[in-house]
Amino acid sequence: MSKKEKAGKILMLPVSQIEPSPYQARTAFDDTEIAALAVSILQNGLLQPVTVRKIGMHRYQLIAGERRLRACRLAKLEKIPAILSSYDDSESAALGLLENLQRSQLDPFDTARGIREVIRLWDCTQAEAARRLGLSQPALANKLRLLALTPAQQQLCTAGGLTERHARAALRLPESRRTAALEKMARDKMSVREADRLVDTMLAAPKDAPGPCRRTMPMVGDVRLFVNTLQHAVDLMTQKGIQAVTSCDQTDGYLEYTVRIPLSPAPPVPDTTEACHAPEMPEEIHV
């Protein structure tokens, strides 16, 4: 870095020479917010410079200010003020994450991935990372646990508007039952308390009577997910006292899944002095 470009100096840099940070934790940006910020910058100028570091003769890498940089590009500004720094990779990643945590509400999974990345770059323990990020160790550990959800489950949470606490509730379940739980939480717009009750109910379900398709029958992923969802619905019915039963057969390249649901409540246990009456036959539903 030349004397003319000392760390801490504010430079007017061409927007075209500033590259995005490879350590940006945020993966989704609100286009409406960026557009509103661009209008504000056009009217009032960029009130807070972005922070960059030099990576080449005429190239700079963004450290903090991704939203501001995107808004400046949208506003078609040629040059913007930037604070020059001399941070290394680990410092750049940490500063970018901290800015996102302090300035705007990050997606919980983006936060978890950002924390995991700075731990890798710092090569430190969770306890040390928590101290440096200003978090308690349990809070940091809880955020990292969210990454135990599959990418599809994470996307389900984001698309369904579920919070970090909804996701943590689902993590109490075995991996194979989390998707069905998250889908119901999102579909029914459950509160966190309702989500916890749902998980408690699922965990209390008998474990000694697996559904007929939960054995070793080979299935592609999408089919297995659909069958697991069906079986979860049957589990909920049986927990409510509806004596639904299922059967599953595979013939001629097809999977036949049958659900038998009684049309009337189960009859009371008859007195031994009276004749027994057969209950009404259940209806069969083929899927």
Side-chain angles (χ1 to χ4, degrees):
M1 189 179 296
S2 67
K3 291 182 180 179
K4 186 179 178 180
E5 294 186 333
K6 289 183 179 180
K9 186 178 181 65
I10 296 181
L11 307 173
M12 288 299 295
L13 297 179
V15 172
S16 60
Q17 292 182 8
I18 303 175
E19 298 180 0
S21 170
Y23 308 113
Q24 171 59 246
R26 182 182 290 275
T27 57
F29 292 85
D30 189 316
D31 291 340
T32 302
E33 288 184 1
I34 298 294
L37 182 56
V39 171
S40 175
I41 290 171
L42 282 173
Q43 293 175 343
N44 307 299
L46 183 60
L47 302 180
Q48 182 177 4
V50 299
T51 303
V52 299
R53 62 174 180 166
K54 194 164 187 179
I55 56 173
M57 183 65 68
H58 298 293
R59 303 300 301 172
Y60 301 85
Q61 187 179 86
L62 188 70
I63 293 176
E66 178 77 23
R67 292 174 69 253
R68 280 167 280 159
L69 180 60
R70 287 176 178 239
C72 288
R73 284 180 173 151
L74 184 61
K76 300 188 182 305
L77 298 185
E78 294 184 359
K79 290 187 175 183
I80 60 174
I83 300 173
L84 190 62
S85 75
S86 56
Y87 295 123
D88 60 20
D89 287 355
S90 62
E91 291 169 325
S92 297
L95 285 170
L97 175 62
L98 283 170
E99 185 197 38
N100 275 312
L101 290 175
Q102 292 171 0
R103 291 179 179 275
S104 54
Q105 186 64 40
L106 267 184
D107 177 286
F109 303 105
D110 284 345
T111 299
R113 283 187 286 269
I115 291 173
R116 182 178 61 186
E117 179 65 10
V118 296
I119 288 175
R120 183 188 69 79
L121 289 168
W122 285 341
D123 191 24
C124 67
T125 64
Q126 287 189 18
E128 174 63 13
R131 185 186 67 78
R132 294 171 70 173
L133 291 172
L135 299 171
S136 69
Q137 186 173 354
L140 182 140
N142 278 334
K143 292 181 184 300
L144 290 175
R145 283 184 62 236
L146 298 177
L147 299 180
L149 293 176
T150 66
Q153 290 165 348
Q154 294 176 28
Q155 178 58 33
L156 199 162
C157 288
T158 302
L162 300 180
T163 68
E164 178 178 339
R165 292 177 63 191
H166 285 93
R168 288 212 308 268
L171 282 170
R172 294 164 50 204
L173 293 165
E175 195 280 330
S176 61
R177 306 190 72 186
R178 291 171 186 168
T179 297
L182 291 169
E183 287 175 342
K184 183 168 180 59
M185 291 177 198
R187 183 173 61 250
D188 295 353
K189 302 186 184 304
M190 288 186 173
S191 67
V192 173
R193 181 175 295 181
E194 289 170 334
D196 280 329
R197 283 201 294 264
L198 170 67
V199 170
D200 288 340
T201 301
M202 294 175 70
L203 289 172
K207 298 180 177 61
D208 56 352
C213 288
R214 289 180 183 168
R215 304 188 185 101
T216 57
M217 187 174 292
M219 288 182 277
V220 297
D222 289 344
V223 174
R224 183 172 297 279
L225 175 62
F226 180 68
V227 168
N228 284 341
T229 302
L230 286 175
Q231 186 60 46
H232 171 57
V234 174
D235 289 346
L236 291 177
M237 281 191 285
T238 57
Q239 291 160 26
K240 295 294 185 181
I242 301 172
Q243 301 303 310
V245 294
T246 59
S247 62
C248 192
D249 295 299
Q250 184 176 12
T251 56
D252 299 326
Y254 289 91
L255 184 69
E256 182 175 287
Y257 192 97
T258 305
V259 182
R260 295 169 62 87
I261 304 172
L263 294 177
S264 60
V269 177
D271 188 274
T272 54
T273 62
E274 298 179 358
C276 294
H277 297 282
E280 189 174 357
M281 289 298 293
E283 182 180 62
E284 291 191 6
I285 302 175
H286 294 270
V287 179

